Amino acid sequence: MDKQNYQQLTRTFLRLSRFSHLAAVAGWDMFAMMPPGGSAARGEALAELSVLRHQILTNPQVGQWLSSAGQEDLNDVEQANLREMQRHYDEAALLPEALVEALSLAGSKCEHAWRTQRPANDWAGFSANLKEVVKLTREEAKLRAAAKGCSPYDALLDKFEPDMTSARLDELFGEVKSWLPDLLKQAVEKQAQQTLIAPQGPFPIADQRELGLQAMKTLGFDFNGGRLDVSAHPFCGGVPEDVRITTRYDENELLSALFGVVHETGHARYEQNLPRSWPGQPIALARSTAIHESQSLFFEMQLGRSEAFLRRLQPAIIERFGMQPAFEEHNFIAWNQRVKPGYIRVDADEVSYPAHVILRYEIERALIDGEIEVDDIPALWNEKMHSWLGLSTEGNYRNGCMQDIHWTDGGFGYFPSYTLGAMYAAQLFHAARRALPGLEEAIAAGDFSALFEWLRQNIWQHGSRFSTAQLIANATGEPLNADYFRQHLTRRYL
């Protein structure tokens, strides 16, 4: 039997991927390069692209091809690709075109205004735009939930992390909540006995940029297929052939931008090593947001904050910024492994980081499921920050509930990916250590080739061929086991 219907689908998805490419680069430009005056027009252009992609994907002919292709003689890879095509089609077909356009426009407007509202601590202005995003996102969630037979929040979660549910998250995060506060307290008390010296700036931004580029090169970033720029919120965008990563700089703070670059380089290496043998096909896309975050946290935390890597990094920092007491080896390592609860998620140490994620998850789930409203967010945020980290964000919206970009464009359901990613990263690093004797010595010598080849073989090259559960089981020999995350934090910090 020929594969006529399947081949029609591959051509359609290749076309869709080209429009997605344009949207990705236009989106990167909007965050990194575009002058403020271009915001409204760019928002309208991106909304038009969203509608166009939606029209192509939801054409009744695509549904017919999907139905018929299932009867064709497809190999394992083609069947996996067909499964992903069906998933993308089903996700899109649930939404009317007008809602797709309205969501895109509201998201662009909210995100652009957030850039000036956040520094101004303007919660009133921000919340007015956020209310429109939440209203439209709830409409989307209800449509998806009705079709899938689940809660509105679970319907959004499924977009980012297929097959994950809030019941499973409550189980995983509930376990973390049972041991993390005590571990955090012990780590802080243990480190209170050390006297650490903070790095003294200023650290010129041009030199920080060069250091970041050097780190990217060391970590295998392909500059022929990507670049580093600046944005208000660090991110990795673009497409596998042209990966755009960003960071943000502060002349008085050296390590935030550097480890932001290391984090985004983890995302970028995953993108740059996704399979190119299935051009434009959904099977060639990253598996899920938690797997994506597992790669960035593998680079930033498992590898980047390890003693072996920090010893490797220390001379490069001294060479560029000169020797000072803070850069003495013992202090430098301890400073980069310090546990200090703070307001900002992207600057958080890996022990307090899950607190930032779980509080956002609990708030966004209640918001989407209609249990709270936008006006309730600041007080809830303050209450949870105080409970978890002993910090008050009352009136401090800029460093509280306005600090992240995710909600501005309706990215509800994304936040759990960070702590799921940390769990996957710990499990993957444990498996890599088991598979690669002498790994620590290789890292200390600056040789990451075996580690990256292990990631390529076990994660990167598979794209979306397997489910998340199957991918992790194949790579590590068991399903997600959150205990590896606990073991990692205990070993490093206690």
Side-chain angles (χ1 to χ4, degrees), residues 221-449:
F221 184 90
D222 177 9
F223 287 95
N224 193 44
R227 53 181 287 144
L228 171 67
D229 292 282
V230 177
S231 69
H233 195 99
F235 71 94
C236 175
V239 293
E241 300 81 1
D242 180 11
V243 179
R244 308 297 178 93
I245 74 173
T246 68
T247 193
R248 57 187 178 202
Y249 299 103
D250 177 347
E251 279 216 329
N252 298 309
E253 222 298 313
L254 171 62
L255 299 161
S256 176
L258 176 63
F259 279 97
V261 168
V262 172
H263 179 98
E264 301 305 337
T265 300
H267 282 304
R269 289 298 315 275
Y270 184 23
E271 286 289 321
Q272 290 181 333
N273 285 277
L274 286 168
R276 304 286 175 89
S277 50
W278 311 315
Q281 301 309 301
I283 192 179
L285 297 172
R287 171 63 263 170
S288 72
T289 53
I291 293 298
H292 231 307
E293 291 303 336
S294 78
Q295 299 310 288
S296 57
L297 292 169
F298 191 102
F299 272 58
E300 180 193 4
M301 297 300 187
Q302 295 292 326
L303 174 61
R305 303 277 183 180
S306 69
E307 285 195 19
F309 185 86
L310 290 169
R311 281 198 182 93
R312 192 76 198 164
L313 179 63
Q314 180 221 13
I317 286 182
I318 293 169
E319 184 183 345
R320 197 163 291 281
F321 297 102
M323 185 57 182
Q324 56 172 274
F327 297 156
E328 181 275 318
E329 185 181 273
H330 176 77
N331 188 86
F332 180 73
I333 291 170
W335 183 261
N336 279 289
Q337 291 184 347
R338 74 196 186 287
V339 176
K340 187 181 179 187
Y343 294 104
I344 305 300
R345 175 186 61 82
V346 296
D347 293 335
D349 61 84
E350 60 180 333
V351 182
S352 57
Y353 196 103
H356 291 271
V357 171
I358 293 170
L359 81 84
R360 285 157 172 78
Y361 158 65
E362 290 173 347
I363 290 172
E364 71 176 13
R365 185 185 62 184
L367 186 65
I368 295 303
D369 285 344
E371 296 164 15
I372 63 167
E373 297 300 329
V374 168
D375 290 335
D376 300 321
I377 292 174
L380 260 176
W381 191 287
N382 182 45
E383 179 189 311
K384 289 177 183 292
M385 278 293 281
H386 198 271
S387 167
W388 269 104
L389 301 174
L391 299 170
S392 170
T393 57
E394 190 171 353
N396 184 3
Y397 310 111
R398 180 180 60 203
N399 294 324
C401 55
M402 284 179 69
Q403 67 182 269
D404 295 295
I405 201 170
H406 304 63
W407 289 345
T408 64
D409 65 355
F412 298 93
Y414 192 111
F415 277 122
S417 306
Y418 290 110
T419 289
L420 286 172
M423 292 174 178
Y424 286 131
Q427 186 166 336
L428 288 167
F429 204 85
H430 177 85
R433 194 186 284 119
R434 192 174 58 217
L436 302 170
L439 178 60
E440 304 293 336
E441 292 80 0
I443 292 170
D447 180 4
F448 311 120
S449 55

Side-chain angles (χ1 to χ4, degrees), residues 135-295:
K135 178 174 83 75
L136 293 167
T137 305
R138 282 173 171 172
E139 283 181 39
E140 175 191 359
K142 280 176 184 165
L143 289 169
R144 294 191 183 285
K148 295 179 180 182
C150 62
S151 74
Y153 183 75
D154 277 15
L156 296 183
L157 182 62
D158 193 60
K159 281 174 29 182
F160 297 104
E161 203 54 31
D163 306 322
M164 183 54 70
T165 64
S166 52
R168 177 68 174 134
L169 282 177
D170 288 344
E171 190 183 307
L172 287 164
F173 291 172
E175 195 181 316
V176 171
K177 287 168 91 168
S178 75
W179 55 259
L180 187 69
D182 189 49
L183 195 152
L184 179 59
K185 181 168 173 281
Q186 287 183 58
V188 169
E189 285 172 357
K190 181 186 175 191
Q191 293 188 1
Q193 295 163 25
Q194 301 174 297
T195 303
L196 294 182
I197 303 166
Q200 297 300 310
F203 304 102
I205 285 170
D207 289 327
Q208 288 197 50
R209 175 178 162 78
E210 287 304 315
L211 180 66
L213 291 169
Q214 186 180 338
M216 289 165 71
K217 184 178 178 184
T218 300
L219 293 169
F221 184 90
D222 177 9
F223 287 95
N224 193 44
R227 53 181 287 144
L228 171 67
D229 292 282
V230 177
S231 69
H233 195 99
F235 71 94
C236 175
V239 293
E241 300 81 1
D242 180 11
V243 179
R244 308 297 178 93
I245 74 173
T246 68
T247 193
R248 57 187 178 202
Y249 299 103
D250 177 347
E251 279 216 329
N252 298 309
E253 222 298 313
L254 171 62
L255 299 161
S256 176
L258 176 63
F259 279 97
V261 168
V262 172
H263 179 98
E264 301 305 337
T265 300
H267 282 304
R269 289 298 315 275
Y270 184 23
E271 286 289 321
Q272 290 181 333
N273 285 277
L274 286 168
R276 304 286 175 89
S277 50
W278 311 315
Q281 301 309 301
I283 192 179
L285 297 172
R287 171 63 263 170
S288 72
T289 53
I291 293 298
H292 231 307
E293 291 303 336
S294 78
Q295 299 310 288

